[in-house]
Amino acid sequence: MPNMSLKKNPMPEQAPDVRNKNFEEVALGYTAEMAVDEAKRCLHCKNRPCVAGCPVNVRIPEFIAKVAEGDFAGAYREIALTNSLPAVCGRVCPQENQCEGKCVRGVKGEPVGIGRLERFVADWWMENGSEELTRPASNGHRVAVVGAGPAGLTCAGDLARMGYEVTVFEALQTAGGVLVYGIPQFRLPKEIVAREVGALERLGVEMKPDMVIGKVDSVDELFEQGFEAVFIGSGAGLPNFMNIPGENLLGVYSANEYLTRINLMKAYREGYDTPIARSRRVAVVGGGNVAMDAARCAKRMGAEEVYIVYRRSEVELPARAEEVHHAKEEGILFQLLRNPVQILGDENGRVKAIECVEMELGEPDASGRRRPIEKQGSNFTIDVDTVIMAIGTSPNPLIRSTTTGLEANRKGCLVADERGATTKPGVFAGGDAVTGAATVILAMGAGKTAAQSIDEYIKSK
Amino acid sequence: MYKIVKKRALNDTVTLMEIEAPHIAKKAKAGQFIIFRVDERGERVPLTIADYDREKGTVTIIFQIVGASTKLLNTLGEGDSLLDFVGPLGQPTHVGPEVRRVCVIGGGVGTAIAYPQAKALHAAGLEVDMIAGFRSKEIVILEEEMKAVTDHLYLMTDDGSYGEKGLVTQKLEELIKAGNPYDLVIAIGPVIMMKFVAAATKPYGIRTLVSLNPIMVDGTGMCGGCRVRVGGQTKFACVDGPDFDGHEVDFDELMKRNSFYKEREMADREDPAHICRLTGGKRHA
């Protein structure tokens, strides 16, 4: 009998007042009983809209059926057919706009907790699964992947499964891209990313950290070294600043710097050498997931007051509703319809306040969102000692500026068709390097598509 | 892992290391830098490439033991390895074909970076003068090496215990006033020294390159921690530099930004237990 409850089984979580003082994971995951019970809510409907909503087309009804039977290993194998990073996706995908957004159960009541079930299965596998992933027989073809973020890892995993010899070049010391430097431990434990990367290595993917392609070798040189195709998944890691007065004062960080110090370099942990400001009052400028992550990190680092300063209203916040909800629960303060005009410093050049102006919403602009308009003379200041700029990122120009024949648009995004092919033969690209800053799962979908294109390209040569 | 194939103490606080990194040695050019991380808990620290040997596949770094990470690095010996060694990063020094006479100025450990610049320019057939400044005699480094690659070497000490007494800027002004027609001055050393060198050359309109050393994290342009103001615009030193036109740099802002983590750095320096993991000691208070 299906479970006809209109609501998802709730996910156990750390209490807000406890978790905002530690970096442990907020959501604690389903127990086996909760998972089986939730899996029984799936109606196994004929047209499977959930699968179409998933950018990597996970076989959702199939894996959920296995969970309902208590066959968690079987469920994992179903997911692993199409998804290289299930423990990651189950945690950070915006399921409300993807698989769960399409779920029939969501028409009346809440959709099936697909993300929570995927997470449960992936975590169960890490605890109990056998190491049955083995390296497929090599087909003798070599492919280079530039960037070990979600796009590159997915592309590498899919190619390895097809028998390609894949080498991933990563500029930082650890594979994962935004999964290791950006998304904080309390949303995505780094141990989980490391284990997913380990699974790829068992498939035969070679990880080469500390390699800045464009500096140490160019894309053209990778071809000279015998790679037959190159996938560029170098992301959009160049931080934007507002170009307002005071942005170089001491205590002004880009969200990338703040989050990298905390997540990649573990500045929050005792015994690690990378320093970070011990802030008391923090303003985070921006309203996306990165802004929420930075604000929640600042709170956990001991800041007494943390503000989100965003120029539109709550409904336009680009962050996931769940992240905004978590941030509010943890005591983050929202200054909505506010825009910074300058950052003020003391005589030592340290941040002492941020001056903002109130905004109101006018007509919708090209993006379809109502345009924020400044209210003249409404300036006010908030006393802060730290300002974190989380107003977006753009693709780093390093690769396109060192590769002949690779076109980019005026925003610096690589030009690629819907199959991931760039303007240079043999070079494919996907993820934020092509779209500008977007989501983990879209990058994974692009990596998956490009892997298929690379396979076709090499076979047709 | 990147093996240390040679280690030599240049003076009590300055060490030279040659590191095995063939892929970096193959591409490195004068003016570029690397980022190292000693171990899993270490921080990422930038150091200018002092030399490279493309055939041996090695990169030479010269560092001053100033804080926790350089102290930790200095505990390693020949045969040991660093966990991470990334490069070559930043833009190579651009001298320009019109330059015939150069004055290279090194201050303290900056001399170690100024020296390979002088060597490269000398090898390219330019006329090279060099002014090397030190606090006192005991810390003078690379004297013979510098002599070998310069037309004139002027050694200065603050206290007059060796060479001439005085600051590098005094010597530079004296040389300019004496009619030395330098096309280019390259200054590498403490920010305050570079600031005064730039101030000294400005009235004469002599092009002046400085190699900036802001705080860095990734060194690839993804964080902006190294941002500096040059000609009123914000630049990222790790990708746009580290060389900039000394007449355009906001040195005061750079000095302030470099002092941001001073308290933490001092705490690291004064905590003798911080690198002792054999005894189970912690690294930070």
Side-chain angles (χ1 to χ4, degrees):
Chain A
M1 264 303 284
N3 169 357
M4 292 311 291
S5 163
L6 291 181
K7 294 208 167 229
K8 285 185 204 180
N9 265 332
M11 176 96 98
E13 282 178 352
Q14 282 195 72
D17 255 3
V18 175
R19 71 182 192 236
N20 68 7
K21 295 172 190 68
N22 69 53
F23 274 82
E24 302 303 312
E25 201 169 10
V26 168
L28 302 172
Y30 277 165
T31 61
E33 293 69 34
M34 290 174 192
V36 171
D37 190 54
E38 180 65 24
K40 287 180 178 163
R41 292 185 65 231
C42 176
L43 299 177
H44 298 278
C45 50
K46 226 181 210 165
N47 54 356
R48 310 147 56 85
C50 54
V51 178
C54 171
V56 296
N57 302 125
V58 166
R59 293 156 59 89
I60 293 166
E62 285 85 349
F63 101 73
I64 290 183
K66 300 274 191 204
V67 175
E69 291 166 19
D71 176 8
F72 304 139
Y76 181 79
R77 288 187 199 102
E78 290 288 348
I79 296 171
L81 288 174
T82 63
N83 190 344
S84 294
L85 310 168
V88 172
C89 292
R91 288 175 165 81
V92 306
C93 277
Q95 288 103 5
E96 63 275 18
N97 305 324
Q98 316 261 10
C99 54
E100 294 181 20
K102 299 269 169 71
C103 176
V104 169
R105 291 295 306 264
V107 176
K108 191 181 165 200
E110 290 182 352
V112 175
I114 301 167
R116 295 172 183 187
L117 288 172
E118 182 180 40
R119 168 187 161 142
F120 166 77
V121 170
D123 288 358
W124 182 91
W125 181 262
M126 281 189 187
E127 284 290 313
N128 307 291
S130 61
E131 308 271 312
E132 66 180 35
L133 284 169
T134 47
R135 185 175 184 161
S138 167
N139 65 10
H141 297 286
R142 295 172 67 207
V143 178
V145 169
V146 180
L153 292 179
T154 302
C155 186
D158 280 21
L159 287 167
R161 272 188 273 272
M162 294 182 224
Y164 288 92
E165 291 181 20
V166 185
T167 306
V168 179
F169 297 93
E170 167 57 42
L172 294 175
Q173 67 251 18
T174 313
V178 75
L179 307 178
V180 293
Y181 77 75
I183 302 175
Q185 181 78 5
F186 55 82
R187 283 216 290 139
L188 178 62
K190 301 310 141 206
E191 299 74 15
I192 285 173
V193 182
R195 280 156 108 166
E196 302 263 44
V197 170
L200 289 175
E201 287 178 310
R202 283 198 296 281
L203 276 174
V205 174
E206 187 191 4
M207 296 288 169
K208 285 199 148 191
D210 293 346
M211 296 291 272
V212 186
I213 298 301
K215 286 289 179 191
V216 66
D217 277 318
S218 68
V219 170
D220 293 299
E221 284 167 317
L222 292 177
F223 283 108
E224 288 165 23
Q225 290 163 20
F227 292 102
E228 294 170 66
V230 176
F231 174 76
I232 299 173
S234 50
L238 187 73
N240 297 336
F241 286 92
M242 293 185 77
N243 297 316
I244 56 174
E247 253 179 333
N248 289 352
L249 288 167
L250 307 188
V252 182
Y253 286 96
S254 72
N256 266 8
E257 181 182 356
Y258 193 75
L259 291 171
T260 298
R261 284 177 180 272
I262 290 180
N263 300 319
L264 179 72
M265 306 309 298
K266 301 194 167 34
Y268 69 92
R269 275 208 213 165
E270 201 59 47
Y272 283 76
D273 291 343
T274 302
I276 192 149
R278 301 284 160 172
S279 314
R280 292 186 58 221
R281 298 163 65 91
V282 180
V284 180
V285 181
N289 289 323
V290 174
M292 300 304 142
D293 285 345
R296 295 170 71 194
C297 280
K299 189 81 186 178
R300 282 162 173 76
M301 294 301 294
E304 291 149 28
E305 282 168 40
V306 181
Y307 299 93
I308 290 277
V309 179
Y310 179 59
R311 63 196 181 129
R312 289 184 165 101
S313 72
E314 173 136 12
V315 290
E316 288 89 10
L317 279 170
R320 287 183 71 188
E322 186 186 328
E323 303 308 325
V324 175
H325 173 70
H326 276 149
K328 282 186 176 168
E329 280 186 335
E330 289 168 14
I332 307 300
L333 306 164
F334 283 70
Q335 288 277 345
L336 300 169
L337 289 164
R338 307 281 187 265
N339 204 35
V341 289
Q342 68 169 323
I343 302 163
L344 306 165
D346 64 16
E347 64 280 10
N348 297 316
R350 290 180 175 251
V351 171
K352 66 171 189 185
I354 183 166
E355 182 181 336
C356 302
V357 59
E358 293 180 22
M359 310 293 277
E360 54 195 357
L361 293 179
E363 294 301 304
D365 62 13
S367 74
R369 294 182 301 176
R370 293 176 65 193
R371 188 193 305 273
I373 302 162
E374 231 172 75
K375 278 196 219 170
Q376 290 298 325
S378 62
N379 299 41
F380 66 103
T381 59
I382 311 170
D383 289 341
V384 291
D385 54 35
T386 305
V387 173
I388 301 170
M389 288 291 173
I391 52 166
T393 53
S394 338
N396 191 311
L398 182 58
I399 290 185
R400 66 171 192 267
S401 65
T402 53
T403 309
T404 54
L406 199 59
E407 277 176 35
N409 67 18
R410 73 188 159 78
K411 287 184 169 168
C413 301
L414 295 177
V415 174
D417 66 18
E418 72 284 354
R419 302 291 302 152
T422 66
T423 51
K424 187 180 174 76
V427 178
F428 298 80
D432 290 2
V434 170
T435 58
T439 63
V440 168
I441 189 67
L442 285 174
M444 290 180 58
K448 192 162 205 66
T449 304
Q452 286 158 8
S453 301
I454 289 169
D455 181 46
E456 287 158 23
Y457 168 78
I458 289 179
K459 282 191 177 141
S460 69
K461 274 207 305 183
Chain B
M1 300 288 275
Y2 303 85
K3 203 166 110 185
I4 299 163
V5 295
K6 186 169 144 191
K7 179 183 179 185
R8 179 155 70 98
L10 298 183
N11 66 30
D12 282 353
T13 63
V14 177
T15 303
L16 173 151
M17 275 184 184
E18 213 176 306
I19 316 278
E20 208 169 75
H23 56 294
I24 303 176
K26 192 174 79 182
K27 285 296 173 69
K29 290 190 178 134
Q32 291 187 296
F33 66 95
I34 56 92
I35 283 200
F36 77 83
R37 194 169 70 119
V38 174
D39 64 17
E40 202 47 52
R41 294 178 164 208
E43 59 183 334
R44 296 169 64 96
V45 181
L47 281 178
T48 308
I49 294 171
D51 205 352
Y52 48 80
D53 186 326
R54 300 207 201 280
E55 278 176 17
K56 270 170 74 188
T58 58
V59 171
T60 302
I61 50 173
I62 295 175
F63 59 94
Q64 184 158 28
I65 302 155
V66 285
S69 291
T70 41
K71 207 184 225 172
L72 182 65
L73 178 59
N74 200 47
T75 61
L76 301 183
E78 290 178 3
D80 292 339
S81 291
L82 280 77
L83 184 57
D84 296 294
F85 198 70
V86 191
L89 300 169
Q91 304 296 330
T93 300
H94 180 71
V95 169
E98 73 290 350
V99 175
R100 301 300 316 147
R101 280 200 72 175
V102 187
C103 184
V104 179
I105 303 176
V109 73
T111 309
I113 310 308
Y115 157 67
Q117 291 278 11
K119 185 173 144 188
L121 297 169
H122 183 73
L126 277 68
E127 195 176 324
V128 181
D129 287 357
M130 185 160 178
I131 309 172
F134 299 92
R135 259 195 337 273
S136 64
K137 184 181 179 181
E138 305 79 67
I139 61 166
V140 172
I141 56 173
L142 300 171
E143 184 182 358
E144 289 311 310
E145 286 90 339
M146 291 189 286
K147 231 178 226 164
V149 300
T150 50
D151 293 272
H152 301 94
L153 173 67
Y154 306 95
L155 253 174
M156 313 294 293
T157 49
D158 294 359
D159 61 4
S161 54
Y162 195 66
E164 292 177 60
K165 182 176 162 64
L167 302 171
V168 293
T169 40
Q170 291 167 342
K171 191 72 203 174
L172 175 65
E173 287 199 296
E174 185 189 314
L175 290 170
I176 295 172
K177 280 189 185 136
N180 286 283
Y182 296 121
D183 305 315
L184 176 69
V185 169
I186 299 178
I188 304 166
V191 180
I192 190 80
M193 181 212 94
M194 295 191 284
K195 175 184 170 171
F196 283 117
V197 167
T201 56
K202 196 161 187 189
Y204 300 96
I206 302 172
R207 189 177 149 226
T208 301
L209 279 181
V210 292
S211 179
L212 301 187
N213 55 348
I215 291 170
M216 286 189 190
V217 185
D218 63 289
T220 64
M222 66 169 268
C223 85
C226 66
R227 59 195 190 275
V228 290
R229 203 194 309 263
V230 181
Q233 285 188 311
T234 293
K235 301 276 184 191
F236 289 5
C238 72
V239 289
D240 300 317
D243 287 353
F244 289 101
D245 179 343
H247 298 151
E248 298 281 336
V249 170
D250 185 336
F251 290 103
D252 294 339
E253 184 182 277
L254 175 60
M255 279 188 273
K256 277 184 187 151
R257 286 185 64 81
N258 278 356
S259 72
F260 188 46
Y261 296 104
K262 200 149 229 158
E263 286 163 30
R264 164 72 184 267
E265 284 167 12
M266 293 303 286
D268 284 349
R269 213 175 310 180
E270 282 158 19
D271 173 6
H274 79 281
I275 53 171
C276 184
R277 281 164 294 158
L278 291 173
T279 57
K282 59 185 168 45
R283 282 160 68 129
H284 302 308

